Amino acid sequence: MGTRETVLVLGANGQIGTELVTALRAKYGNENIVASDIREAAQSDGPFEILDIMNAAAATEVIKKYNVTQIYHLAAILSATGEKNPRLAWQVNMDGLLNILEASAELGVKKVFWPSSIAVFGKNSPKRLTPQYTITDPDTIYGISKLAGERWCQYYYRTRGLDVRSIRYPGLISYASKPGGGTTDYAVEIFHEALKQGKYTSFIKESQLLPMMYMPDAIRATIDLMEADADKLRIRSSYNIHSLSFSPAMIAAAIQMHLPDFTIDYAVDFRQKIAESWPASLEDSYARVDWGWKPLYDLAATVKDMLENVGKKI
Ligand code: NAD
Ligand code: SER
């Protein structure tokens, strides 16, 4: 990143934003990273703005005020919350994205990062090693909005020359901030309950494999993609990336290596159907070739680090 870059992070108070802002500030200086969210921040070590992405004029004002040159747009409604309020999810995820793409193109923002998700795939997509290009028939409103969002990103790149970059994140595991209403949230809750109660009731069934990733890998991937040479990037919709593939039974067994008395039982709910429509693992060779993506955390390392850090928090 050049010395005169100013980065705006939208949805900065969420599970990813909390850690991305910290990582960006450590790398580029607190004053160069403007955090923003619709909610007040618990704390901020640099500039912070209350900003609703549905308000295009307010977004334009903030971009102008700070001479923003890069945007990480993380504000969204996730899969499980989206199913409870599909219209709201569509409006925030779609109109919000269009507001930011349009303002970025108009104001000459140099680069925009926007995350897509494994939710773009559906029940007719191949389950294992799901290819970059394959059937995408999402069932959830969240997945539908992510798939449409990918096409809009590609469209703004092609028609307006906007340098948009995107990753299809898998379920993200982290301890700094709680997850925000997704189907993969069980893989975070399980650590808190294991340490507090010694047991966990999973809303996802025992054998359900899902793609997952530890947050440090996701943050590194995000910044690496934003720093990659533009002419090496063959994909302007969204890149598959893969790290872990495990089921509730498998993560429970990994936790039992540290907490032998930990037990898990199952009471599946509507989120199981969502999980069933998603892949078990992804094929990610485009990301590996184009910008050197490689995960560093396996399941054992993720579980060890999570238990240590969740333990410190509680
Ligand atoms: P989150 O729900 O934890 O955080 C989203 C943030 O957006 C919240 O702080 C919320 O207050 C804010 N927000 C909501 N509506 C807003 C609005 N109208 N204007 C401004 N801010 C608003 O989500 P997250 O897990 O940090 O996810 C960030 C992005 O990554 C989303 O696009 C999500 O779809 C994507 N993603 C996340 C995961 C994951 O496992 N966490 C996986 C795949 C994709
Ligand atoms: N973790 C996200 C969710 O479950 C996937 O995009 O909604």
Side-chain angles (χ1 to χ4, degrees), residues 10-17 37-39 51-54 73-78 92 114-118 142 146 169-172 178-181 184:
L10 305 159
N13 294 352
Q15 188 194 6
I16 300 171
D37 202 285
I38 198 170
R39 302 179 277 142
L51 177 59
D52 179 353
I53 55 160
M54 304 305 288
H73 170 25
L74 307 176
I77 306 288
L78 276 75
V92 173
W114 169 83
S116 183
S117 162
I118 53 167
Y142 175 71
K146 288 296 184 188
Y169 287 134
L172 299 180
K178 292 223 164 144
T184 57

Side-chain angles (χ1 to χ4, degrees), residues 15-16 77-82 115-120 140 142-143 146 168-172 179-186 203 210-212 271 274 278:
Q15 188 194 6
I16 300 171
I77 306 288
L78 276 75
S79 61
T81 309
S116 183
S117 162
I118 53 167
V120 297
T140 59
Y142 175 71
K146 288 296 184 188
R168 290 170 174 158
Y169 287 134
L172 299 180
T183 301
T184 57
D185 293 10
Y186 93 84
F203 56 80
L210 282 169
M212 300 277 187
R271 290 169 283 190
I274 300 177
W278 290 352

Side-chain angles (χ1 to χ4, degrees), residues 181-234:
T183 301
T184 57
D185 293 10
Y186 93 84
V188 177
E189 287 173 5
I190 194 169
F191 290 97
H192 292 263
E193 296 308 304
L195 286 161
K196 280 195 276 195
Q197 315 287 350
K199 60 181 179 172
Y200 179 64
T201 300
S202 173
F203 56 80
I204 298 296
K205 81 174 184 202
E206 194 172 359
S207 58
Q208 183 67 52
L209 291 168
L210 282 169
M212 300 277 187
M213 184 176 292
Y214 197 31
M215 190 62 88
D217 273 337
I219 298 295
R220 189 172 46 79
T222 305
I223 296 174
D224 283 357
L225 174 60
M226 281 295 265
E227 291 188 339
D229 286 347
D231 54 10
K232 298 227 166 76
L233 304 179
R234 286 174 290 174

Side-chain angles (χ1 to χ4, degrees), residues 122-157:
K123 50 182 178 296
N124 292 302
S125 312
K127 287 281 174 224
R128 287 183 191 255
L129 293 176
T130 307
Q132 175 71 40
Y133 296 108
T134 187
I135 294 169
T136 42
D137 56 349
D139 270 342
T140 59
I141 194 64
Y142 175 71
I144 295 169
S145 70
K146 288 296 184 188
L147 184 56
E150 288 189 5
R151 302 322 307 158
W152 274 113
C153 288
Q154 164 73 30
Y155 187 81
Y156 267 81
Y157 173 72

